[in-house]
Coordinates of all heavy atoms in Angstrom, one line a residue:
V64 N -14.3 -3.0 -10.4 CA -15.4 -3.6 -9.5 C -16.2 -2.4 -8.9 O -15.6 -1.5 -8.2 CB -14.8 -4.4 -8.4 CG1 -15.9 -4.9 -7.4 CG2 -14.0 -5.6 -8.9
N68 N -20.3 -3.6 -12.2 CA -19.7 -4.9 -12.2 C -19.3 -5.2 -10.7 O -18.2 -5.1 -10.3 CB -18.4 -4.9 -13.1 CG -17.7 -6.2 -13.1 OD1 -18.4 -7.3 -13.2 ND2 -16.4 -6.2 -13.2
P69 N -20.3 -5.7 -10.0 CA -20.1 -5.7 -8.5 C -19.4 -6.9 -7.9 O -19.2 -7.0 -6.7 CB -21.6 -5.7 -8.0 CG -22.4 -6.4 -9.1 CD -21.7 -6.0 -10.4
V70 N -19.0 -7.9 -8.7 CA -18.4 -9.1 -8.2 C -16.9 -9.1 -8.4 O -16.4 -8.9 -9.5 CB -19.0 -10.3 -8.9 CG1 -18.3 -11.6 -8.4 CG2 -20.5 -10.4 -8.7
Y71 N -16.2 -9.2 -7.3 CA -14.7 -9.4 -7.3 C -14.5 -10.9 -7.1 O -14.8 -11.5 -6.1 CB -14.1 -8.6 -6.2 CG -12.7 -9.1 -5.8 CD1 -11.6 -8.9 -6.6 CD2 -12.5 -9.7 -4.5 CE1 -10.3 -9.3 -6.2 CE2 -11.2 -10.1 -4.2 CZ -10.1 -9.9 -5.0 OH -8.9 -10.3 -4.7
D72 N -13.8 -11.5 -8.1 CA -13.4 -12.9 -8.1 C -11.9 -13.0 -7.8 O -11.1 -12.6 -8.7 CB -13.8 -13.6 -9.4 CG -13.6 -15.1 -9.4 OD1 -12.7 -15.6 -8.7 OD2 -14.4 -15.8 -10.1
L97 N -9.5 -11.1 0.0 CA -10.8 -11.0 -0.5 C -11.5 -9.6 -0.4 O -12.7 -9.5 -0.6 CB -11.7 -12.0 0.2 CG -11.4 -13.5 -0.1 CD1 -12.3 -14.4 0.8 CD2 -11.6 -13.8 -1.5
H98 N -10.7 -8.6 -0.3 CA -11.2 -7.2 -0.3 C -11.7 -7.0 -1.7 O -10.9 -7.1 -2.7 CB -10.2 -6.2 0.1 CG -10.8 -4.9 0.5 ND1 -11.4 -4.1 -0.5 CD2 -10.9 -4.2 1.6 CE1 -11.9 -3.0 0.1 NE2 -11.6 -3.0 1.3
P99 N -12.9 -6.5 -1.9 CA -13.4 -6.4 -3.3 C -12.8 -5.3 -4.1 O -12.8 -5.4 -5.4 CB -14.9 -6.1 -3.1 CG -15.0 -5.5 -1.7 CD -14.0 -6.2 -0.9
I170 N -22.1 1.0 -1.3 CA -22.7 0.3 -2.4 C -22.6 -1.2 -2.2 O -21.6 -1.7 -1.6 CB -22.0 0.7 -3.8 CG1 -20.5 0.4 -3.7 CG2 -22.3 2.2 -4.1 CD1 -19.8 0.6 -5.0
P171 N -23.5 -2.0 -2.8 CA -23.4 -3.5 -2.6 C -22.4 -4.1 -3.5 O -22.4 -3.9 -4.7 CB -24.8 -4.0 -2.9 CG -25.4 -2.9 -3.8 CD -24.7 -1.6 -3.4
L172 N -21.5 -4.9 -3.0 CA -20.5 -5.6 -3.7 C -20.4 -7.1 -3.2 O -20.9 -7.4 -2.2 CB -19.1 -5.0 -3.6 CG -18.9 -3.5 -4.1 CD1 -17.5 -3.0 -3.8 CD2 -19.3 -3.4 -5.6
V173 N -19.8 -7.9 -4.0 CA -19.6 -9.3 -3.7 C -18.2 -9.7 -3.9 O -17.6 -9.4 -4.9 CB -20.6 -10.2 -4.5 CG1 -20.3 -11.7 -4.3 CG2 -22.0 -9.9 -4.3
S174 N -17.6 -10.5 -2.9 CA -16.3 -11.1 -3.1 C -16.5 -12.6 -3.3 O -17.3 -13.2 -2.5 CB -15.4 -10.8 -1.9 OG -15.1 -9.5 -1.8
R175 N -15.8 -13.2 -4.2 CA -15.9 -14.6 -4.5 C -14.6 -15.3 -4.3 O -13.6 -14.9 -4.8 CB -16.4 -14.9 -5.9 CG -16.5 -16.4 -6.3 CD -16.9 -16.6 -7.7 NE -18.2 -16.0 -8.0 CZ -18.5 -15.3 -9.1 NH1 -17.6 -15.1 -10.0 NH2 -19.7 -14.8 -9.3
N180 N -17.3 -19.6 -3.1 CA -18.2 -19.0 -2.1 C -18.2 -17.5 -2.2 O -17.2 -16.9 -2.5 CB -17.6 -19.4 -0.7 CG -17.5 -20.8 -0.4 OD1 -18.5 -21.6 -0.6 ND2 -16.3 -21.3 0.0
E181 N -19.4 -17.0 -2.0 CA -19.6 -15.5 -2.2 C -19.9 -14.8 -0.9 O -20.7 -15.4 -0.1 CB -20.7 -15.3 -3.3 CG -20.3 -15.7 -4.6 CD -21.2 -15.3 -5.7 OE1 -22.4 -14.9 -5.4 OE2 -20.9 -15.4 -6.9
Y182 N -19.4 -13.6 -0.8 CA -19.6 -12.8 0.5 C -20.1 -11.4 0.1 O -19.4 -10.7 -0.6 CB -18.3 -12.7 1.2 CG -17.6 -14.0 1.5 CD1 -16.8 -14.6 0.6 CD2 -17.9 -14.7 2.7 CE1 -16.2 -15.9 0.9 CE2 -17.3 -15.9 3.0 CZ -16.4 -16.5 2.0 OH -15.8 -17.7 2.3
A183 N -21.3 -11.1 0.5 CA -21.9 -9.8 0.2 C -21.4 -8.8 1.2 O -21.3 -9.1 2.4 CB -23.4 -9.9 0.1
V184 N -21.2 -7.6 0.7 CA -20.8 -6.5 1.7 C -21.3 -5.2 1.1 O -21.4 -5.0 -0.1 CB -19.2 -6.5 1.8 CG1 -18.6 -6.1 0.5 CG2 -18.8 -5.5 2.9

Side-chain angles (χ1 to χ4, degrees):
V64 174
N68 183 37
V70 178
Y71 161 70
D72 188 327
L97 290 175
H98 195 294
I170 59 173
L172 298 177
V173 173
S174 292
R175 180 182 297 141
N180 301 307
E181 294 189 346
Y182 307 87
V184 66

